Amino acid sequence: MDTTNFNTDSFRDITFDLLSGIANDPSKLDEFARAYLTKLHERTDGDNLRKYTRDIYEKILALQMIHVNPGFQLKDTFHEKIVIAYFWTFSNIHSSHMMPKLIGIDKRYSTAGVTIIGIHSPKYEHEKNKANVRHAMEEQSLPFNVVNDSSLSVWKHVGCQIWPTVLVFGPDAIPIFIFEGENHVQHTETFLAFALAYYKSSVRASPNISAAIKMSPDDPAASGATSKPAKFTYPSHLCITSSGQMCISYAGSNQLILCEIDGKVLEVVGNGHPGMADGDISQVEFDSPRGMAEYNSCIYIADTNNHAIRVFDPNSRRVLTLIGTGRLGTDKVGGLKRSQQPIASPWDLCITESPFDHKTVLLISMAGQHQIWAYAFEETQWWNNLTLQKNACLAIIGSGEEGNRNDPEPMSATLAAPRGICNGIMNGQPVLFIADSNSSSIRVVTLQNGNVSNLIGGDADPTNLSAFGDLDGSGFNAKFQYPLGVAFHYPSSQLYITDTYNNKLKRVDMTTLTCSSYFVTDIDTKKQRGESNSAKFNEPQGITIFDHFMFIADKNNSHVKRIDLDKGTIVRCRFNLSETLNEERTFGSKQAYLTITLPDTLQLRETNTGTWSIEDEDGFKICDGELASSMSDQMLLDYIPREKQAARLKYEVVVCEGEKCTMMSGEVQPVNQTDSIIEFNIKIEQEEANTS
């Protein structure tokens, strides 16, 4: 291991040797790691290793700090600490995947002598701006310090090749590990434990002072105020329901609001804490909720950082997890059902129909896997003679490799962190439009056969993911900078796009296939002093169209805006929380829920499905009703007076296996009963149906 010149290639080689040895014999992880650290410190060129580290430290010290603790001095970070240098950029989905792990390391080890320095290393022009980096940090609630390497000086000095990259240095300035790419960075904490044990006597612990991002002056947390109304930050997406209401996802505050179009807030969904708890809207948790779609009066939510699809039922006022395990998935095929199927960073949702049997399917832009997935509400025929099984979730577009390759075979095409997705019409045929963010292009998929092609932007070279800019035009001559949202206006055959990192709106005329910047006039008469021009955007993301109005989530301004497409005017939407209905409907009552669990071979009969009744301890009926096969997995039965104690639920239900149907009857006791909820569970086994 001795050498006269130590550089990043040398660093890669020794770390690679360690990882290769462990891969060949995982049982010797402890032995290999300890031997590696011992041998590293026995090198005769220790001064060269320290010079390598100190040169990097000097480059970091020359950068602009963004996130600072009061009285914090960056140079103190390097003294008697194990230092983790994390190279990332906020547009990169793989950096986003690893951020929770880095936050967890900071939480667990920041007082044990470990310091993380985020080195923001931008790809896009928009990412070079300090204010935009701060917005990304606030949205993700980063607890560690970040420097802005806007000119990539440290990135180039080190010779980084991929986001994310982690370098780990010892308190003696010896470079210990280098991990490159998501698959390797995820193991940082495993090897950190060995480093802490090795340096136990030389690492200086830190006081328990957590880093706090500086809030805006009017933020209640910054001013110490407690009487100000709740503040919803970083709106991401919007959804107009069939009843004409609007649901808005706030990625920064991990909540949804359901409101009337005029801004009257009906419900606040979520307690604001990042997490994955299901349940009543006041208790439920999200982690960066984004795209939404409505089906059968329920709102489906892409809960991005939970790697899950959640379902909000406004009638029952509850949220359940439909798809995802809560952990980052690596599967690029899928096929499992509901919450058994792991997924990766779902971003946007779209309800569409199969062109073959017209059954409804939920489409998911899976940014983390560079694919589009589908969830089938019932068995559905799809292209290439594929049958989508009921309740199954699987990939239907994209190989999973990141790229910009168009292909008539949808699973051979490549996408690059696809975000926005919507239905539309092109050449008289139903299509899907996809904002393929990291290729800075808009892709189009023909629903009849899955053919994937380029509509606008990007580059003809499928490997070129740096063809971004800000140019109107057609085909590859037009340029975007990381578009995130798409919405199709059927009356005018215009596709509207949020060109997010250019802070603009654009539109494509589907008759000429020409893209042009879309400018609007601010007519907002309700501005308060200091409010900016509503026609100016700062990272606009989700958009949706209702009648001749288009609504935009202007993320970094934390505003929702409304454009009149007929007049070309814009105003900011303002929300009134004074009459929120969050407590109104549950006063004096509790909700009764029923879950029916069946084997895959059985289903409820579509008509005359069955009946139910709830009784108290004395056998008196509290309430009753009929079952319907279209009810959700956990169905709201009725509201029961809070003072009533339910003892049992009696049921008769018809289950079918093919054409054969059987009446099942019985009774079950509550599996859960509180002052606000009663839950019953009916579980029918195959053997019961066969013997009835």
Side-chain angles (χ1 to χ4, degrees), residues 42 59 66 77 100 124 139 282 383 411 425 459 465 483 537 603 606 640 643-644 684:
E42 291 175 348
K59 292 283 186 182
I66 301 176
T77 298
Y124 295 95
E139 182 182 351
S282 63
W383 53 54
M411 291 303 290
I425 298 291
D459 190 82
L465 300 181
F537 300 97
Q603 58 275 332
E606 292 189 1
I640 295 176
E643 67 275 7
K644 291 284 188 180
I684 297 176

Side-chain angles (χ1 to χ4, degrees), residues 496-508:
Y496 288 87
I497 303 158
T498 53
D499 191 1
T500 301
Y501 286 0
N502 282 323
N503 299 316
K504 306 173 71 166
L505 303 179
K506 292 183 179 178
R507 61 181 174 181
V508 178

Side-chain angles (χ1 to χ4, degrees), residues 605-659:
R605 188 165 68 182
E606 292 189 1
T607 58
N608 298 321
T609 305
T611 61
W612 59 270
S613 64
I614 297 176
E615 297 179 352
D616 63 15
E617 293 178 352
D618 297 322
F620 291 105
K621 184 186 298 181
I622 300 175
C623 55
D624 61 4
E626 295 184 354
L627 296 171
S629 63
S630 60
M631 286 181 169
S632 60
D633 295 332
Q634 188 177 48
M635 55 192 83
L636 175 66
L637 299 178
D638 206 344
Y639 291 89
I640 295 176
R642 185 163 293 174
E643 67 275 7
K644 291 284 188 180
Q645 288 296 307
R648 66 191 67 84
L649 178 143
K650 293 184 176 180
Y651 65 89
E652 291 184 340
V653 59
V654 181
V655 297
C656 302
E657 182 175 9
E659 298 296 323

Side-chain angles (χ1 to χ4, degrees), residues 348-350 352 363 365 372 397 415 418-427 429-436 441-447 451 453-456 484-490 493-497 508-510 513:
D348 200 8
L349 305 176
C350 174
T352 197
L363 299 181
S365 63
I372 305 299
I397 303 170
L415 304 175
R419 299 310 213 277
I421 183 170
C422 73
N423 293 297
I425 298 291
M426 183 174 174
N427 299 326
Q429 294 189 11
V431 296
L432 299 171
F433 294 110
I434 301 168
D436 199 35
S441 69
I442 305 300
R443 316 287 288 279
V444 59
V445 181
T446 305
L447 267 175
N451 179 70
S453 58
N454 176 276
L455 176 68
I456 205 92
L484 284 179
V486 285
F488 190 74
H489 187 232
Y490 284 86
S493 291
Q494 301 272 352
L495 176 69
Y496 288 87
I497 303 158
V508 178
D509 186 331
M510 298 308 297
L513 300 184

Side-chain angles (χ1 to χ4, degrees), residues 92-399:
N92 182 262
I93 191 66
H94 304 291
S95 295
S96 299
H97 287 169
M98 292 300 100
M99 197 61 81
K101 291 187 178 292
L102 271 293
I103 292 172
I105 289 173
D106 183 86
K107 181 178 180 180
R108 288 184 285 276
Y109 298 102
S110 61
T111 58
V114 177
T115 295
I116 299 175
I117 302 172
I119 303 172
H120 187 263
S121 310
K123 171 183 175 179
Y124 295 95
E125 287 296 317
H126 178 81
E127 294 180 293
K128 296 179 180 180
N129 185 289
K130 175 182 176 181
N132 296 333
V133 181
R134 175 174 286 279
H135 278 301
M137 292 164 57
E138 289 183 0
E139 182 182 351
Q140 298 179 64
S141 301
L142 299 193
F144 49 80
N145 299 284
V146 172
V147 293
N148 187 22
D149 190 12
S150 58
S151 62
L152 297 178
S153 61
V154 182
W155 174 275
K156 294 175 182 176
H157 175 79
V158 171
C160 292
Q161 300 173 344
I162 189 174
W163 294 280
T165 290
V166 160
L167 274 64
V168 183
F169 304 100
D172 52 2
I174 293 290
I176 310 174
F177 305 112
I178 178 170
F179 302 116
E180 298 176 287
E182 182 180 332
N183 290 337
H184 286 163
V185 170
Q186 64 178 325
H187 300 303
T188 300
E189 187 169 355
T190 299
F191 291 95
L192 181 62
F194 293 107
L196 279 168
Y198 185 88
Y199 286 110
K200 185 176 181 180
S201 61
S202 54
V203 168
R204 176 169 54 89
S206 304
N208 189 14
I209 301 174
S210 60
I213 294 173
K214 184 179 179 182
M215 304 292 183
S216 56
D218 60 341
D219 193 289
S223 63
T226 58
S227 59
K228 290 187 177 182
K231 183 174 181 180
F232 301 96
T233 59
Y234 298 112
S236 181
H237 285 72
L238 316 101
C239 171
I240 305 296
T241 71
S242 55
S243 59
Q245 297 169 341
M246 180 164 61
C247 194
I248 307 165
S249 62
Y250 285 86
S253 24
N254 299 307
Q255 292 172 300
L256 316 178
I257 64 170
L258 181 67
C259 62
E260 302 287 2
I261 293 295
D262 63 6
K264 179 183 176 182
V265 176
L266 305 175
E267 305 279 22
V268 175
V269 185
N271 60 21
H273 300 298
M276 201 178 166
D278 286 342
D280 184 81
I281 60 171
S282 63
Q283 302 168 339
V284 70
E285 296 171 337
F286 300 100
D287 195 347
S288 198
R290 297 195 184 272
M292 295 171 290
E294 186 202 33
Y295 177 64
N296 272 356
S297 301
C298 289
I299 297 171
Y300 293 76
I301 307 121
D303 195 6
T304 303
N305 287 356
N306 278 324
H307 311 292
I309 305 300
R310 316 287 292 282
V311 187
F312 164 44
D313 183 352
N315 293 319
S316 67
R317 304 173 73 242
R318 288 177 65 81
V319 173
L320 301 173
T321 299
L322 178 69
I323 306 166
T325 63
R327 294 181 178 273
L328 175 66
T330 58
D331 185 0
K332 295 182 179 180
V333 178
L336 298 178
K337 294 189 175 182
R338 296 180 178 164
S339 58
Q340 296 176 341
Q341 178 61 57
I343 58 177
S345 294
W347 192 274
D348 200 8
L349 305 176
C350 174
I351 295 289
T352 197
E353 281 189 354
S354 164
F356 305 101
D357 57 16
H358 304 290
K359 293 182 179 179
T360 302
V361 172
L362 176 70
L363 299 181
I364 308 164
S365 63
M366 208 73 74
Q369 297 289 46
H370 312 294
Q371 294 177 307
I372 305 299
W373 285 45
Y375 172 81
F377 293 98
E378 54 186 322
E379 186 176 293
T380 306
Q381 298 304 309
W382 204 248
W383 53 54
N384 292 343
N385 296 317
L386 177 66
T387 299
L388 306 181
Q389 298 297 322
K390 180 181 178 181
N391 299 327
C393 186
L394 70 163
I396 59 167
I397 303 170
S399 67

Side-chain angles (χ1 to χ4, degrees), residues 388-637:
L388 306 181
Q389 298 297 322
K390 180 181 178 181
N391 299 327
C393 186
L394 70 163
I396 59 167
I397 303 170
S399 67
E401 174 189 350
E402 187 172 15
N404 188 25
R405 184 173 63 247
N406 299 301
D407 202 290
E409 169 51 52
M411 291 303 290
S412 296
T414 58
L415 304 175
R419 299 310 213 277
I421 183 170
C422 73
N423 293 297
I425 298 291
M426 183 174 174
N427 299 326
Q429 294 189 11
V431 296
L432 299 171
F433 294 110
I434 301 168
D436 199 35
S437 299
N438 208 32
S439 68
S440 292
S441 69
I442 305 300
R443 316 287 288 279
V444 59
V445 181
T446 305
L447 267 175
Q448 186 64 37
N449 55 23
N451 179 70
V452 180
S453 58
N454 176 276
L455 176 68
I456 205 92
D459 190 82
D461 179 356
T463 65
N464 182 7
L465 300 181
S466 297
F468 57 87
D470 185 7
L471 290 173
D472 293 347
S474 59
F476 296 123
N477 293 322
K479 289 291 176 274
F480 301 95
Q481 188 181 181
Y482 211 75
L484 284 179
V486 285
F488 190 74
H489 187 232
Y490 284 86
S492 65
S493 291
Q494 301 272 352
L495 176 69
Y496 288 87
I497 303 158
T498 53
D499 191 1
T500 301
Y501 286 0
N502 282 323
N503 299 316
K504 306 173 71 166
L505 303 179
K506 292 183 179 178
R507 61 181 174 181
V508 178
D509 186 331
M510 298 308 297
T511 59
T512 64
L513 300 184
T514 301
C515 179
S516 58
S517 300
Y518 180 58
F519 299 102
V520 290
T521 303
D522 181 9
I523 60 167
D524 197 340
T525 59
K526 297 182 179 180
K527 278 195 184 72
Q528 298 177 2
R529 180 176 296 179
E531 284 192 20
S532 62
N533 187 331
S534 295
K536 293 184 178 180
F537 300 97
N538 192 342
E539 284 193 28
Q541 292 204 349
I543 50 175
T544 191
I545 294 174
F546 176 66
D547 196 11
H548 63 284
F549 292 108
M550 181 165 69
F551 295 85
I552 305 104
D554 191 11
K555 183 178 76 76
N556 283 357
N557 283 323
S558 284
H559 292 166
V560 172
K561 296 174 179 178
R562 186 188 74 226
I563 291 176
D564 187 323
L565 294 175
D566 291 343
K567 299 178 181 178
T569 55
I570 189 169
V571 296
R572 175 186 165 190
C573 300
R574 289 169 169 80
F575 301 103
N576 176 16
L577 288 95
S578 62
E579 298 182 44
T580 303
L581 301 180
N582 271 14
E583 301 301 327
E584 186 174 308
R585 283 179 285 168
T586 58
F587 180 78
S589 65
K590 51 188 173 184
Q591 298 159 310
Y593 287 91
L594 172 62
T595 299
I596 300 179
T597 304
L598 300 172
D600 292 340
T601 54
L602 300 178
Q603 58 275 332
L604 300 178
R605 188 165 68 182
E606 292 189 1
T607 58
N608 298 321
T609 305
T611 61
W612 59 270
S613 64
I614 297 176
E615 297 179 352
D616 63 15
E617 293 178 352
D618 297 322
F620 291 105
K621 184 186 298 181
I622 300 175
C623 55
D624 61 4
E626 295 184 354
L627 296 171
S629 63
S630 60
M631 286 181 169
S632 60
D633 295 332
Q634 188 177 48
M635 55 192 83
L636 175 66
L637 299 178

